[in-house]
Structures are given as structure tokens and as C-alpha cells.
Amino acid sequence: MTLMVVTVTNAPPRLRGRLGVWLLEVRAGVYVGDYSTRVRERIWDQVCAWIDQGDAVMVWAAPTDQGFDFATVGTNRRMPVDYDGLKLVRFLPADHPSLANSAPRGKR
């Protein structure tokens, strides 16, 4: 079992409702749970499939140097970047082309 946190912004109600079935919503758009890797991956698959025009990030405990790992989906200025084995976050400028109306969906 691994602690995980999912945050969503501008998510459709059906996704928020689905997350509420599996996870505890401790704050608006912030969900927490403790599940196996298999269940965590299934939850993330649903987030990716149902996020529509919103964005989401999932963070979970992992055996890395940082002690955690994360994944993102949707358009957001914060982008994960691998830096010599560490996963860091860089900020894109507000006028960056990838932040245009429709960025590709999927795991980043």
C-alpha cells in the first residue's frame, strides 16, 4: 500500500465524483488515499481519460532518492523534468505555445 495524493483543477463533475468514490476529498480538488500500485494506476488511467479541459497531478510514495514520484496530465505551466535522475518541476512562461487552447492529453 502506498499513500497517494491527486489534485485536479477545472475537472468535470463526473471525474470528481469518481475520485470521491475511491479517495477522500480533504479539500476542494485534493484527494488522498492509500492503495496498491495496481489500483493507483487504474485511478490515474481514469483521471487521464476523463480530465477533459482540466489538469491533474498525482503524487505517491516511491523508492526514489526523493521518496516520491508524480505524474501530470492536462495543460499547466508546471512541467516535470528529469534532471540527472531527479524529477523536478520547471515553469513555462505564460505565453508559451504549449499552453495554447488545446495541448495534447496524456501522461507527462
Side-chain angles (χ1 to χ4, degrees):
M1 302 296 253
T2 302
L3 179 67
M4 58 184 263
V5 177
V6 178
T7 62
V8 295
T9 304
N10 196 27
R14 67 181 179 152
L15 175 58
R16 293 177 58 115
R18 187 65 179 160
L19 288 172
V21 169
W22 289 97
L23 305 167
L24 177 63
E25 188 173 15
V26 296
R27 194 114 169 145
V30 179
Y31 300 85
V32 179
D34 190 20
Y35 288 101
S36 68
T37 301
R38 181 177 171 192
V39 173
R40 184 189 75 233
E41 290 172 352
R42 285 187 171 192
I43 291 171
W44 185 245
D45 289 343
Q46 289 183 358
V47 170
C48 291
W50 293 3
I51 195 64
D52 292 335
Q53 299 301 311
D55 63 83
V57 62
M58 177 185 279
V59 182
W60 63 94
T64 65
D65 288 340
Q66 293 169 296
F68 64 90
D69 199 0
F70 65 96
T72 65
V73 65
T75 303
N76 194 302
R77 290 185 58 199
R78 294 171 180 89
M79 299 297 296
V81 177
D82 185 281
Y83 184 76
D84 290 335
L86 293 177
K87 198 179 250 187
L88 303 176
V89 176
R90 79 174 167 176
F91 280 83
L92 297 176
D95 60 350
H96 194 275
S98 69
L99 298 175
N101 295 338
S102 60
R105 298 282 176 220
K107 296 178 185 177
R108 291 188 193 155

